[in-house]
PDB file of all heavy atoms in Angstrom:
ATOM      1  N   SER B 514      61.957  -0.512  27.953  1.00 97.00           N
ATOM      2  CA  SER B 514      62.609   0.377  26.999  1.00 97.00           C
ATOM      3  C   SER B 514      62.619   1.811  27.534  1.00 97.00           C
ATOM      4  O   SER B 514      63.622   2.519  27.472  1.00 97.00           O
ATOM      5  CB  SER B 514      61.876   0.271  25.663  1.00 97.00           C
ATOM      6  OG  SER B 514      61.761   1.506  25.030  1.00 97.00           O
ATOM      7  N   GLU B 515      61.501   2.227  28.104  1.00 98.00           N
ATOM      8  CA  GLU B 515      61.426   3.590  28.642  1.00 98.00           C
ATOM      9  C   GLU B 515      62.398   3.765  29.812  1.00 98.00           C
ATOM     10  O   GLU B 515      63.120   4.767  29.894  1.00 98.00           O
ATOM     11  CB  GLU B 515      59.997   3.900  29.095  1.00 98.00           C
ATOM     12  CG  GLU B 515      59.840   5.350  29.530  1.00 98.00           C
ATOM     13  CD  GLU B 515      58.408   5.703  29.939  1.00 98.00           C
ATOM     14  OE1 GLU B 515      57.640   4.785  30.287  1.00 98.00           O
ATOM     15  OE2 GLU B 515      58.089   6.906  29.932  1.00 98.00           O
ATOM     16  N   SER B 516      62.446   2.759  30.694  1.00 98.00           N
ATOM     17  CA  SER B 516      63.362   2.831  31.838  1.00 98.00           C
ATOM     18  C   SER B 516      64.795   2.944  31.360  1.00 98.00           C
ATOM     19  O   SER B 516      65.565   3.780  31.848  1.00 98.00           O
ATOM     20  CB  SER B 516      63.224   1.574  32.715  1.00 98.00           C
ATOM     21  OG  SER B 516      61.901   1.443  33.172  1.00 98.00           O
ATOM     22  N   ALA B 517      65.167   2.107  30.383  1.00 98.00           N
ATOM     23  CA  ALA B 517      66.551   2.109  29.884  1.00 98.00           C
ATOM     24  C   ALA B 517      66.891   3.462  29.271  1.00 98.00           C
ATOM     25  O   ALA B 517      67.987   4.000  29.482  1.00 98.00           O
ATOM     26  CB  ALA B 517      66.734   0.997  28.857  1.00 98.00           C
ATOM     27  N   GLY B 518      65.953   4.026  28.531  1.00 98.00           N
ATOM     28  CA  GLY B 518      66.182   5.333  27.911  1.00 98.00           C
ATOM     29  C   GLY B 518      66.367   6.426  28.948  1.00 98.00           C
ATOM     30  O   GLY B 518      67.234   7.289  28.820  1.00 98.00           O
ATOM     31  N   LEU B 519      65.538   6.379  30.004  1.00 98.00           N
ATOM     32  CA  LEU B 519      65.659   7.389  31.069  1.00 98.00           C
ATOM     33  C   LEU B 519      67.001   7.257  31.776  1.00 98.00           C
ATOM     34  O   LEU B 519      67.683   8.248  32.040  1.00 98.00           O
ATOM     35  CB  LEU B 519      64.508   7.229  32.080  1.00 98.00           C
ATOM     36  CG  LEU B 519      63.164   7.826  31.633  1.00 98.00           C
ATOM     37  CD1 LEU B 519      62.032   7.366  32.534  1.00 98.00           C
ATOM     38  CD2 LEU B 519      63.234   9.353  31.619  1.00 98.00           C
ATOM     39  N   VAL B 520      67.408   6.006  32.073  1.00 98.00           N
ATOM     40  CA  VAL B 520      68.691   5.793  32.753  1.00 98.00           C
ATOM     41  C   VAL B 520      69.834   6.311  31.875  1.00 98.00           C
ATOM     42  O   VAL B 520      70.740   6.997  32.351  1.00 98.00           O
ATOM     43  CB  VAL B 520      68.878   4.296  33.095  1.00 98.00           C
ATOM     44  CG1 VAL B 520      70.314   4.021  33.532  1.00 98.00           C
ATOM     45  CG2 VAL B 520      67.904   3.876  34.183  1.00 98.00           C
ATOM     46  N   ALA B 521      69.769   6.031  30.577  1.00 97.00           N
ATOM     47  CA  ALA B 521      70.836   6.465  29.663  1.00 97.00           C
ATOM     48  C   ALA B 521      70.934   7.987  29.614  1.00 97.00           C
ATOM     49  O   ALA B 521      72.019   8.558  29.596  1.00 97.00           O
ATOM     50  CB  ALA B 521      70.581   5.907  28.263  1.00 97.00           C
ATOM     51  N   ALA B 522      69.784   8.656  29.615  1.00 97.00           N
ATOM     52  CA  ALA B 522      69.805  10.113  29.474  1.00 97.00           C
ATOM     53  C   ALA B 522      70.098  10.835  30.786  1.00 97.00           C
ATOM     54  O   ALA B 522      70.672  11.916  30.782  1.00 97.00           O
ATOM     55  CB  ALA B 522      68.460  10.597  28.921  1.00 97.00           C
ATOM     56  N   LEU B 523      69.711  10.222  31.901  1.00 97.00           N
ATOM     57  CA  LEU B 523      69.828  10.930  33.181  1.00 97.00           C
ATOM     58  C   LEU B 523      71.113  10.614  33.919  1.00 97.00           C
ATOM     59  O   LEU B 523      71.514  11.347  34.831  1.00 97.00           O
ATOM     60  CB  LEU B 523      68.632  10.606  34.083  1.00 97.00           C
ATOM     61  CG  LEU B 523      67.252  10.954  33.523  1.00 97.00           C
ATOM     62  CD1 LEU B 523      66.169  10.572  34.504  1.00 97.00           C
ATOM     63  CD2 LEU B 523      67.156  12.439  33.192  1.00 97.00           C
ATOM     64  N   GLY B 524      71.752   9.485  33.577  1.00 96.00           N
ATOM     65  CA  GLY B 524      72.989   9.118  34.267  1.00 96.00           C
ATOM     66  C   GLY B 524      72.725   8.818  35.735  1.00 96.00           C
ATOM     67  O   GLY B 524      71.665   8.267  36.079  1.00 96.00           O
ATOM     68  N   PRO B 525      73.651   9.210  36.605  1.00 95.00           N
ATOM     69  CA  PRO B 525      73.520   8.873  38.029  1.00 95.00           C
ATOM     70  C   PRO B 525      72.246   9.438  38.668  1.00 95.00           C
ATOM     71  O   PRO B 525      71.744   8.879  39.636  1.00 95.00           O
ATOM     72  CB  PRO B 525      74.760   9.511  38.669  1.00 95.00           C
ATOM     73  CG  PRO B 525      75.678   9.852  37.549  1.00 95.00           C
ATOM     74  CD  PRO B 525      74.879   9.959  36.304  1.00 95.00           C
ATOM     75  N   ALA B 526      71.721  10.531  38.089  1.00 96.00           N
ATOM     76  CA  ALA B 526      70.509  11.141  38.672  1.00 96.00           C
ATOM     77  C   ALA B 526      69.303  10.219  38.544  1.00 96.00           C
ATOM     78  O   ALA B 526      68.308  10.378  39.254  1.00 96.00           O
ATOM     79  CB  ALA B 526      70.216  12.482  38.005  1.00 96.00           C
ATOM     80  N   ALA B 527      69.370   9.235  37.632  1.00 97.00           N
ATOM     81  CA  ALA B 527      68.231   8.338  37.414  1.00 97.00           C
ATOM     82  C   ALA B 527      67.817   7.626  38.700  1.00 97.00           C
ATOM     83  O   ALA B 527      66.639   7.356  38.925  1.00 97.00           O
ATOM     84  CB  ALA B 527      68.575   7.316  36.329  1.00 97.00           C
ATOM     85  N   ARG B 528      68.780   7.325  39.557  1.00 97.00           N
ATOM     86  CA  ARG B 528      68.460   6.592  40.799  1.00 97.00           C
ATOM     87  C   ARG B 528      67.829   7.499  41.853  1.00 97.00           C
ATOM     88  O   ARG B 528      67.317   7.015  42.856  1.00 97.00           O
ATOM     89  CB  ARG B 528      69.715   5.943  41.372  1.00 97.00           C
ATOM     90  CG  ARG B 528      70.248   4.851  40.481  1.00 97.00           C
ATOM     91  CD  ARG B 528      71.201   3.938  41.207  1.00 97.00           C
ATOM     92  NE  ARG B 528      71.507   2.785  40.364  1.00 97.00           N
ATOM     93  CZ  ARG B 528      70.784   1.675  40.323  1.00 97.00           C
ATOM     94  NH1 ARG B 528      69.703   1.561  41.090  1.00 97.00           N
ATOM     95  NH2 ARG B 528      71.121   0.687  39.521  1.00 97.00           N
ATOM     96  N   LYS B 529      67.905   8.807  41.623  1.00 97.00           N
ATOM     97  CA  LYS B 529      67.447   9.745  42.667  1.00 97.00           C
ATOM     98  C   LYS B 529      66.094  10.387  42.361  1.00 97.00           C
ATOM     99  O   LYS B 529      65.231  10.493  43.220  1.00 97.00           O
ATOM    100  CB  LYS B 529      68.484  10.869  42.823  1.00 97.00           C
ATOM    101  CG  LYS B 529      69.847  10.362  43.286  1.00 97.00           C
ATOM    102  CD  LYS B 529      70.580  11.433  44.070  1.00 97.00           C
ATOM    103  CE  LYS B 529      71.937  10.957  44.560  1.00 97.00           C
ATOM    104  NZ  LYS B 529      72.932  10.884  43.468  1.00 97.00           N
TER     105      LYS B 529
END
Side-chain angles (χ1 to χ4, degrees):
Chain B
S514 141
E515 186 178 22
S516 301
L519 281 168
V520 168
L523 301 179
R528 293 198 171 273
K529 297 208 179 74

